[in-house]
Amino acid sequence: MTGTPSLPEGYEISTDPHRIDAGRVHHWLATDAYWALGRSREKQDRAIEGSLNFGVYEVMSGEQVAYARVITDRATFAWLCDVYVAPSARGKGIGTALAGAVREHLRAYGVRRVLLATHDAHGVYAKLGFAALERPDEWMALTFGR
């Protein structure tokens, strides 16, 4: 596991929920994220409200360029989800730095396990210490649909 990756110069991470551009996040996820296509704005707003949110912002403009959401009890467990980097900001290491910042934020709570699901970013998360479940046969899911 590597150290916490740094954001490129000119960007900052914040967990201030008032900085989240909820309309932008909804547009990104509902139109461009395979796991959230078609998600309603109302559902996205509820998800933001009930989660620990991370935003990456351009320092000069204040424009949000990335987002991640964590569902957690802040004690024992966390689920990292809705990680998204705007197309214009991709390829700069922002996603890796964001996931690393989330990891360190959760480490401070003493959380024992952080889960996530991804179809296409295993390499990004592996750099930060994430690995496939050792005993997937011990895990179950209840799915109601989208």
Side-chain angles (χ1 to χ4, degrees):
M1 177 170 48
T2 64
T4 302
S6 298
L7 278 173
E9 190 169 329
Y11 294 92
E12 64 184 353
I13 295 175
S14 175
T15 57
D16 179 352
H18 298 102
R19 290 188 71 185
I20 299 296
D21 183 338
R24 177 175 291 204
V25 169
H26 173 254
H27 176 76
W28 285 339
L29 298 177
T31 65
D32 192 40
Y34 66 82
W35 65 90
L37 292 175
R39 185 182 289 170
S40 72
R41 173 65 190 268
E42 184 269 336
K43 184 172 280 202
Q44 184 61 48
D45 287 349
R46 280 194 345 238
I48 289 170
E49 183 178 315
S51 301
L52 172 59
N53 299 279
F54 293 76
V56 177
Y57 305 88
E58 290 182 347
V59 173
M60 294 295 287
S61 68
E63 179 181 356
Q64 187 171 351
V65 299
Y67 176 73
R69 182 168 75 85
V70 177
I71 303 157
T72 183
D73 60 9
R74 292 178 170 88
T76 63
F77 178 82
W79 176 270
L80 172 59
C81 55
D82 287 348
V83 179
Y84 187 90
V85 178
S88 63
R90 292 179 187 163
K92 300 177 183 180
I94 290 172
T96 303
L98 174 58
V102 169
R103 178 191 69 189
E104 294 311 307
H105 192 95
L106 295 172
R107 185 190 312 269
Y109 292 140
V111 169
R112 180 168 183 251
R113 180 175 286 121
V114 180
L115 293 180
L116 63 85
T118 182
H119 288 308
D120 58 357
H122 293 83
V124 170
Y125 297 109
K127 290 184 225 175
L128 298 166
F130 285 87
L133 293 173
E134 289 181 26
R135 298 289 314 259
D137 58 310
E138 294 179 357
W139 293 85
M140 297 178 71
L142 174 63
T143 304
F144 292 112
R146 291 191 170 246

